[in-house]
Amino acid sequence: MGSICKESLERSSVAPDNDQETDTGFRGKSKHLSHDRNKIITEAKGTCHLFGRRSSRNDSPYTVSPRSSRLCLNLSGRPPGAKRAFICGVSYKKQKFRLRGVVNDVHSMRDFLVKQFNFPRDCILILSEEDSDMPPTKKNTEDGFKWLTRDLQFGDSLFFYYSGHGLRQPDFNEDEKDGFDETICPVDFKTEGMIVDNYINEAIVRPLKQGVILHAIIDSCHSGTMLDLPLVYNKTMGKWDDNRPPSGAYKGTNGGKAICFSACEDYQQAADTSALSPDKAMTGAMTYTLISAITKAISSNQTITYCGILDAMHRTNLDEDNKSLHSKISRFFRRRIIQEPLLSSSEEFDINTEFKL
């Protein structure tokens, strides 16, 4: 875990332990600021400080073993309904590298699925650090993957959403063209380890049988190929690029289909920011623009396509009244946090197809 891509991590913007926020130099009102309520905050969702020091007893709110019965999920039986969603949000509360936008992302994604795509609430599994939810430990996250893919039937529509830190580590299996495995970081990753993209692929991509579709939304740094899907859409060239591993390992499904929107490419950083939300609430930049694009299309009785979503995530959605702020945000993202959303898939398809869950 110590061998992280240093070049892409060392420039990260990290919030300090107290309530003071990182000053980006932008001005605007934010309800999240305790010392200067006129700052707009932007934080990278990946940081070299994740491994900068040993954890102390007060670093994590979960001092009980994550494998104790109090923190484990009940996975008995098939989840009800043909639609099911697994939402995993990790804020890293009481830790130096905590994220402030995750809790808003989790609530927004849950409401989005229920209101826009009629997901039953009892078919949505949420892991978060809210008192009402099970904590996003490594064990619970892996069990959540099992819950999502349990007893699949033809016509099932699955949804996986992750908001939290993402990192990279060296690939020793020749499964990655760039030589790095991508990882997500559960709340106890410093003691239990990260979850590697190879595992995610085996857990939620390989089990997909014919007639089953999975949509995944990964809002973290280094998330481009977090599901290790064999095809990545090249937006510049307008075609699908081959992302199959050099080793020849099979990374596809068992007859089903997997589609993933990622916040950025594997070597890039994603961001939480208060610049996009009308009330200046901290949100994932990718999560906010994706939900906004789809919701706007549905409310206008327009068709939203995969291409339309990808285009929306490649531009900052701000009102006409905020053109000067748009320019500042654009310069900031280009200089400090490079974020180019990516679309990957288990099979080639026309991205002008209507997006449906």
Side-chain angles (χ1 to χ4, degrees), residues 69-298:
S69 59
R70 185 177 71 85
L71 300 182
C72 292
L73 300 173
N74 180 1
L75 297 174
S76 60
R78 168 182 160 84
K83 290 185 175 183
R84 69 184 80 161
F86 175 27
I87 296 176
C88 182
V90 195
S91 302
Y92 314 93
K93 285 184 177 180
K94 299 182 181 180
Q95 301 193 56
K96 185 174 183 179
F97 42 82
R98 70 189 182 276
L99 293 170
R100 292 164 176 77
V102 169
V103 63
N104 295 324
D105 290 343
V106 167
H107 293 163
S108 296
M109 190 58 68
R110 177 200 59 204
D111 294 344
F112 169 72
L113 293 176
V114 172
K115 295 177 182 178
Q116 305 297 343
F117 292 98
N118 300 315
F119 273 69
R121 287 186 177 271
D122 60 353
C123 293
I124 301 177
L125 171 64
I126 296 179
L127 298 183
S128 80
E129 290 164 78
E130 295 286 278
D131 292 339
S132 59
D133 299 325
M134 297 298 291
T137 62
K138 183 177 183 181
K139 177 64 164 55
N140 280 348
T141 304
E142 291 174 347
D143 285 347
F145 290 149
K146 296 174 184 176
W147 175 88
L148 187 66
T149 56
R150 181 183 295 276
D151 298 331
L152 295 178
Q153 297 179 6
F154 188 96
D156 283 348
S157 175
L158 314 181
F159 184 88
F160 171 58
Y161 173 76
Y162 172 78
S163 178
H165 281 306
L167 293 173
R168 307 175 86 190
Q169 65 183 30
D171 161 46
F172 298 105
N173 299 318
E174 296 186 359
D175 283 347
E176 303 281 350
K177 290 185 175 181
D178 61 1
F180 288 94
D181 283 316
E182 286 66 50
T183 68
I184 62 175
C185 302
V187 70
D188 57 351
F189 78 98
K190 289 168 70 175
T191 57
E192 299 300 315
M194 300 179 288
I195 300 178
V196 184
D197 53 6
N198 295 325
Y199 178 89
I200 299 174
N201 180 272
E202 292 177 4
I204 61 175
V205 175
R206 293 295 298 278
L208 302 176
K209 60 177 64 175
Q210 186 174 5
V212 177
I213 186 168
L214 165 72
H215 285 89
I217 311 295
I218 312 296
D219 197 345
S220 72
C221 293
H222 314 295
S223 56
T225 61
M226 193 69 77
L227 267 62
D228 265 358
L229 297 179
L231 293 171
V232 174
Y233 189 73
N234 186 322
K235 192 173 184 296
T236 302
M237 302 299 295
K239 66 182 184 68
W240 291 95
D241 287 340
D242 188 350
N243 187 52
R244 288 175 295 180
S247 66
Y250 182 67
K251 296 289 186 174
T253 69
N254 190 29
K257 186 175 183 179
I259 300 172
C260 180
F261 283 105
S262 302
C264 59
E265 297 197 28
D266 288 337
Y267 63 91
Q268 295 177 334
Q269 297 179 64
D272 274 356
T273 180
S274 62
L276 302 179
S277 174
D279 60 0
K280 298 300 182 288
M282 288 290 285
T283 63
M286 177 257 201
T287 298
Y288 183 86
T289 53
L290 181 143
I291 291 178
S292 296
I294 297 175
T295 300
K296 182 178 180 180
I298 292 176

Side-chain angles (χ1 to χ4, degrees), residues 295-356:
T295 300
K296 182 178 180 180
I298 292 176
S299 63
S300 303
N301 294 318
Q302 297 177 342
T303 298
I304 185 70
T305 66
Y306 291 88
C307 181
I309 296 172
L310 192 61
D311 287 343
M313 292 192 301
H314 271 265
R315 60 179 180 264
T316 305
N317 292 334
L318 294 172
D319 296 335
E320 287 297 314
D321 293 338
N322 293 322
K323 285 185 177 180
S324 61
L325 180 60
H326 181 288
S327 176
K328 293 179 181 179
I329 292 296
S330 296
R331 288 199 300 270
F332 178 80
F333 271 72
R334 182 58 55 186
R335 184 175 70 253
R336 296 280 302 279
I337 299 177
I338 303 173
Q339 182 167 339
E340 297 177 274
L342 208 65
L343 175 66
S344 58
S345 177
S346 61
E347 62 184 60
E348 187 171 338
F349 71 96
D350 183 357
I351 69 166
N352 291 306
T353 303
E354 180 179 2
F355 176 84
K356 293 181 179 179

